[in-house]
Amino acid sequence: MEPLQQLTRKQLDTLQRVGRLATADRGVPLKQLARALRVRSPTALGHLTILESLHLVRRHRGKTRLTRYGAACLEEYVRHHRVAETLFAEAGLSPEDSCEAAREVDLAISHRTVDSLCQAESHPKVCPHGAPISPCRPARGGG
Ligand SMILES: [Zn+2]
Ligand SMILES: [Zn+2]
């Protein structure tokens, strides 16, 4: 299973927060992260423990930052979301409803499925909100 498929929505929210709050040379302290997520510290720590076990974040002296792999997974998540949004928009949903519908599936679908959808949509450059969609990567595994 791909890492995104193993995450709950709350774990993804936590990963995105770490990405926003941590800088290249400074991790985000647990308390600050918990406050931003509006949860108690033990709850935030629970999410971080899972993210760390998937190698998406690294913790050092109580501060957390993304690993390179975690940053790549976040980018991949955004692509999943925007490709799914485009599909729902083409089916006639408003941009807001497309976003909501995309959140129901964007963690569950595989990279392969996202690439198939992207191809079926003729590789859209932007989502219904006008935000850029990163291009399909070259075919993997020689097939
Ligand atoms: Zn594409
Ligand atoms: Zn969008």
Side-chain angles (χ1 to χ4, degrees):
M1 224 180 354
E2 292 167 12
L4 289 175
Q5 294 176 312
Q6 298 176 58
L7 298 185
T8 64
R9 177 61 52 181
K10 293 202 161 143
Q11 287 157 6
L12 177 82
D13 288 346
T14 304
L15 188 64
Q16 287 184 313
R17 269 311 163 166
V18 171
R20 259 177 243 150
L21 295 173
T23 62
D25 47 38
R26 218 171 71 89
V28 55
L30 180 61
K31 271 192 180 173
Q32 187 191 350
L33 184 65
R35 210 179 308 124
L37 291 167
R38 297 185 184 173
V39 298
R40 283 150 30 90
S41 292
T43 305
L45 184 59
H47 296 327
L48 287 181
T49 303
I50 307 249
L51 295 176
E52 190 174 32
S53 74
L54 293 170
H55 313 289
L56 298 170
V57 302
R58 200 161 26 126
R59 304 186 65 233
H60 181 64
R61 294 185 182 170
K63 293 183 181 172
T64 305
R65 68 176 73 164
L66 295 182
T67 59
R68 189 183 290 221
Y69 178 59
C73 283
L74 268 185
E75 275 178 38
E76 192 62 41
Y77 168 75
V78 170
R79 177 170 154 74
H80 284 210
H81 181 77
R82 291 179 182 164
V83 168
E85 276 185 328
T86 304
L87 184 75
F88 288 118
E90 279 179 6
L93 274 63
S94 71
E96 293 69 30
D97 289 348
S98 297
C99 181
E100 211 166 295
R103 284 169 65 93
E104 293 176 11
V105 299
D106 55 20
L107 282 175
I109 48 183
S110 67
H111 299 337
R112 190 193 178 94
T113 299
V114 169
D115 284 354
S116 301
L117 288 176
C118 191
Q119 192 173 352
E121 295 166 7
S122 307
H123 305 290
K125 299 258 187 304
V126 295
C127 80
H129 304 92
I133 296 176
S134 55
C136 283
R137 288 150 307 174
R140 280 147 291 178

